Amino acid sequence: MIGLVLLSLSSWFILLKPTGCGDGKQICVPTTSFGSAIFYLAIYLVAFGYGGHQPTLATFGSDQFDESNPKQRNSKSSFFSYFYFALNFGSLFSNTILVYFEDRGNWTIGFWVSTASAALALVAFLVGSSGYRYVKPCGNPIPRVMQVFCAAFKKLNVSLKEGEELYEVERPDSAIKGSRKIFHSEEFACLDKASIITDEDKRGPPNPWRLCTVTQVEEAKCILRMLPIWLCTIMYSVVFSQMASLFVEQGDVMSTKIGKFRLPAASMSAFDICSVLAFTGIYRRIVVPVAGRMTGNPRGLTELQRMGIGLVLAMLAMVAAGVTEMERLKMVVDGERASRMSIFWQVPQYVLVGASEVFMYVGQLEFFNGQSPDGIKSFGSSLCMASISLGNFVSSVIVNVVMAATASGGRMGWIPEDLNLGRMDLFYFLIGVLTAVDLVVYVAFAKWYKGISFEGNYDEEEG
């Protein structure tokens, strides 16, 4: 909220001069170094706040459900779908009405509306504080994970003797405050050395940098098991990032007129949002019951299967975007910036991206939250946000590499400033091929993955 207030005030009094500039016609006066500094401070405050708010909100929401209660456990699965539904419902407003005002140069109004929305959300959150279910924090997981690697390294030459068991506390709960015990797994057996009890360990109280419980070791193993799956989701985020960049640039050089009204190219993302809203309902009401009867899984599809379907749909979205660009280039008129092709031919690619989000991002939220030990639930949710951020970064790297390779020797390149002289369709097809390769790697890791299993609770293992 502080960042949004600062952004609104700086835009009002410092950045947008003269009034009404920034509409694509009237150029704003270059701002001062002080104005630029205020602007970047504001947007980084927003990013910093959002980075803490978004993953924690998903985790806090899931904490409201008691996993020992089967009914609440099923409700928790539905929560993530409705959580993502709510995010997109809010985006529908910002990507239509706000974009329209900002396209007309009314940036300050857009920022103030965003500030009011954040204030309303904060009030709504605080009003419900008395009714929330609070889970006690389990402490900082970073030292616990480091202790496992340190203890395993110190016992590199130690082996478990026949008849001996790995170290675990005897009480019902684990040594990690507020966390359930986790069953031992066979993967990453080298880390099990951290739980081997040596003669030195028996001489005094347990030293966590030399001796770790099985649950603590399994917590570290869970992170290692999830990382390959997470890395495969970054390529999906590369596809997702095109919607806010190249899709908009592509739409801007298409016919955007509906009678006398000009449709802002950025508003086409409303079709993505509507697709998310529609497919969320289709998945919950149709896919889950049908798939549940076919597979015997009451959840319909496992999280890993859903994420795989999301990758397939993302690949098809890139193919659709490439085909649209091929047809757009055929309808370019010499001397005109915009093609005669209607911007509504972009609808299929936006709809496919929206459908893929329902499977990929909702699946990610469920997977990383469900497969994370109790002590690192927020870490699991943070992986989703990190995937989106890295996807944007990787997308920029791919664009720079492609332009360096295709624009050499005086050539225009695939994505020049004038898209009518480029071959952006080939770039879309390249992203589609990279997504297909990523899908093959993902399937291999998904088959290898073994889920977490808590003691005294239902088995979370993935099918």
Side-chain angles (χ1 to χ4, degrees), residues 21-35:
C21 71
D23 59 353
K25 298 176 183 178
Q26 187 176 10
I27 306 299
C28 295
V29 176
T31 186
T32 62
S33 299
F34 174 75

Side-chain angles (χ1 to χ4, degrees), residues 26-89:
Q26 187 176 10
I27 306 299
C28 295
V29 176
T31 186
T32 62
S33 299
F34 174 75
S36 296
I38 293 294
F39 172 75
Y40 282 108
L41 173 63
I43 61 173
Y44 279 115
L45 276 173
V46 173
F48 181 68
Y50 193 71
H53 162 267
Q54 183 76 350
T56 311
L57 187 64
T59 305
F60 186 66
S62 67
D63 284 345
Q64 305 310 302
F65 303 92
D66 184 2
E67 292 191 9
S68 62
N69 185 322
K71 185 177 180 180
Q72 290 197 33
R73 190 161 68 235
N74 292 330
S75 297
K76 178 181 175 180
S77 179
S78 302
F79 161 76
F80 290 107
S81 294
Y82 293 122
F83 173 75
Y84 199 72
F85 180 96
L87 289 179
N88 281 272
F89 189 77

Side-chain angles (χ1 to χ4, degrees), residues 269-438:
S269 59
F271 287 99
D272 161 77
I273 297 166
C274 290
S275 175
V276 170
L277 301 182
F279 276 95
T280 299
I282 292 171
Y283 179 79
R284 297 303 314 174
R285 301 298 178 185
I286 299 176
V287 176
V288 170
V290 172
R293 285 193 292 268
M294 294 174 62
T295 63
N297 183 353
R299 297 185 181 184
L301 300 171
T302 67
E303 289 88 351
L304 290 174
Q305 289 169 341
R306 289 160 61 185
M307 290 160 68
I309 293 172
L311 278 172
V312 172
L313 291 172
M315 181 177 62
L316 294 176
M318 288 296 97
V319 173
V323 171
T324 299
E325 180 63 12
M326 287 175 63
E327 296 302 314
R328 187 195 71 81
L329 290 172
K330 292 177 183 178
M331 300 179 70
V332 170
V333 178
D334 291 338
E336 293 188 11
R337 177 176 175 272
S339 168
R340 290 177 298 169
M341 189 177 191
S342 171
I343 194 173
F344 288 103
W345 284 102
Q346 282 192 310
V347 170
Q349 63 204 57
Y350 278 105
V351 169
L352 283 168
V353 171
S356 70
E357 289 176 59
V358 173
F359 288 94
M360 172 57 81
Y361 280 143
V362 177
Q364 268 194 71
L365 284 169
E366 284 192 44
F367 175 77
F368 289 122
N369 185 274
Q371 293 299 304
S372 297
D374 297 328
I376 55 172
K377 291 290 185 185
S378 292
F379 170 80
S381 299
S382 299
L383 287 177
C384 300
M385 291 294 293
S387 170
I388 297 173
S389 301
L390 285 173
N392 281 277
F393 177 75
V394 172
S395 177
S396 299
V397 171
I398 294 175
V399 169
N400 289 331
V401 170
V402 166
M403 284 303 295
T406 60
S408 60
R411 293 175 295 176
M412 295 298 295
W414 287 1
I415 317 174
E417 187 172 342
D418 185 354
L419 293 181
N420 294 334
L421 302 176
R423 292 300 306 273
M424 193 161 63
D425 54 327
L426 297 180
F427 180 79
Y428 284 138
F429 292 140
L430 173 64
I431 297 297
V433 170
L434 292 176
T435 306
V437 173
D438 181 63

Side-chain angles (χ1 to χ4, degrees), residues 9-10 15 61 98 154 163 172 216 404 429:
L9 290 173
S10 62
L15 301 176
L98 289 187
K154 288 179 179 179
Q216 189 176 343
F429 292 140

